[in-house]
Amino acid sequence: MTNTHNCPDDIVLHSDNGASLHFKGRLFSESTCFDDATGALVRLRLFSMQGGGQVYSIITTAGSQKHRRYYVMRPIGELCEVSDGVQTITLPVEMLFNAVFGLCGIDPSQAESLRPSFEESLKSAVNT
């Protein structure tokens, strides 16, 4: 996904829920990790969408099994719309931050000091 012309790429993501997502955007961040406990290889990618919003893609491979899913996140003022291609929820951005910190296992006493850098990363992804 190399882009030498500073133009958005045409991106297609598939999900095991049957939904496919076609959008123009850029790869913002990518990481891969191996979970020793489950034997799964996990690929995480964050895309910024042309026109605003982000897409978080997760592909988990364990043996011959592969699981694909994505989540589209669009800011709407102080709210954030999150969709997996089938279902959509809208929640306050503050609630999204709390959920992400909780899912990442971040101690609530440390979350407040991490919030500014997390907010800056999200703004950067939106404006890329």
Side-chain angles (χ1 to χ4, degrees), residues 53-54 71-83 88-97 100 122 126:
Q54 301 84 36
Y71 302 95
V72 179
M73 298 170 286
R74 288 190 173 95
I76 307 168
E78 293 297 314
L79 301 175
C80 185
E81 181 182 88
V82 181
S83 174
T88 301
I89 62 169
T90 302
L91 64 155
V93 171
E94 185 67 26
M95 187 180 287
L96 177 63
F97 285 160
V100 168
L122 287 177
V126 169

Side-chain angles (χ1 to χ4, degrees), residues 1 11 35 50 57 66 75-76 82-84 88-93 102 104 106-108 126-127:
M1 189 174 302
I11 300 167
D35 185 338
Q50 182 178 11
S57 168
K66 186 176 191 176
I76 307 168
V82 181
S83 174
D84 69 354
T88 301
I89 62 169
T90 302
L91 64 155
V93 171
C104 293
I106 296 172
D107 183 321
V126 169
N127 296 322

Side-chain angles (χ1 to χ4, degrees), residues 12-124:
V12 179
L13 299 175
H14 303 283
S15 180
D16 292 340
N17 67 14
S20 293
L21 178 65
H22 304 261
F23 65 97
K24 288 191 177 286
R26 299 178 192 271
L27 180 63
F28 180 76
S29 177
E30 181 174 24
S31 66
T32 303
C33 59
F34 182 76
D35 185 338
D36 288 324
T38 63
L41 183 65
V42 181
R43 182 178 183 195
L44 308 167
R45 295 183 294 169
L46 178 64
F47 298 90
S48 58
M49 299 174 71
Q50 182 178 11
Q54 301 84 36
V55 179
Y56 186 60
S57 168
I58 307 164
I59 300 174
T60 305
T61 307
S64 62
Q65 295 183 336
K66 186 176 191 176
H67 301 283
R68 301 171 299 176
R69 57 200 179 279
Y70 63 79
Y71 302 95
V72 179
M73 298 170 286
R74 288 190 173 95
I76 307 168
E78 293 297 314
L79 301 175
C80 185
E81 181 182 88
V82 181
S83 174
D84 69 354
V86 175
Q87 298 181 10
T88 301
I89 62 169
T90 302
L91 64 155
V93 171
E94 185 67 26
M95 187 180 287
L96 177 63
F97 285 160
N98 291 338
V100 168
F101 291 145
L103 290 170
C104 293
I106 296 172
D107 183 321
S109 65
Q110 295 177 353
E112 285 308 311
S113 65
L114 296 172
R115 186 177 307 273
S117 69
F118 186 68
E119 289 172 347
E120 193 59 37
S121 293
L122 287 177
K123 286 178 190 173
S124 180

